[in-house]
Amino acid sequence: MEKSRKVMEEFLEIWHEALSKRSLPGKFVNIDLNFGEFGLGDNYTPQHTAVRYALVMAHMIATVQAVRG
């Protein structure tokens, strides 16, 4: 529980920063993923959701870091 709390706190911090600036480059788009690349099947599971969250976080972190320089 404590590990997930830290991840969620970091996510919300980055999310808040992204929304407050509204000047970050790019936009949010839905990207169809090939979950097979992650060893996941066709039936959607919590692991599919975790992959999506991880990719969103990675994109947001990269965007914030690019803006910060």
Side-chain angles (χ1 to χ4, degrees), residues 7-47:
V7 169
M8 289 306 295
E9 286 173 354
E10 290 175 1
F11 173 79
L12 292 174
E13 178 182 327
I14 292 168
W15 184 257
H16 177 70
E17 182 175 343
L19 292 179
S20 67
K21 289 189 177 183
R22 296 192 187 270
S23 62
L24 292 175
K27 59 183 178 180
F28 290 104
V29 295
N30 183 36
I31 299 173
D32 288 326
L33 298 174
N34 178 1
F35 288 108
E37 292 177 14
F38 301 95
L40 300 173
D42 292 336
N43 293 327
Y44 204 83
T45 66
Q47 286 81 12

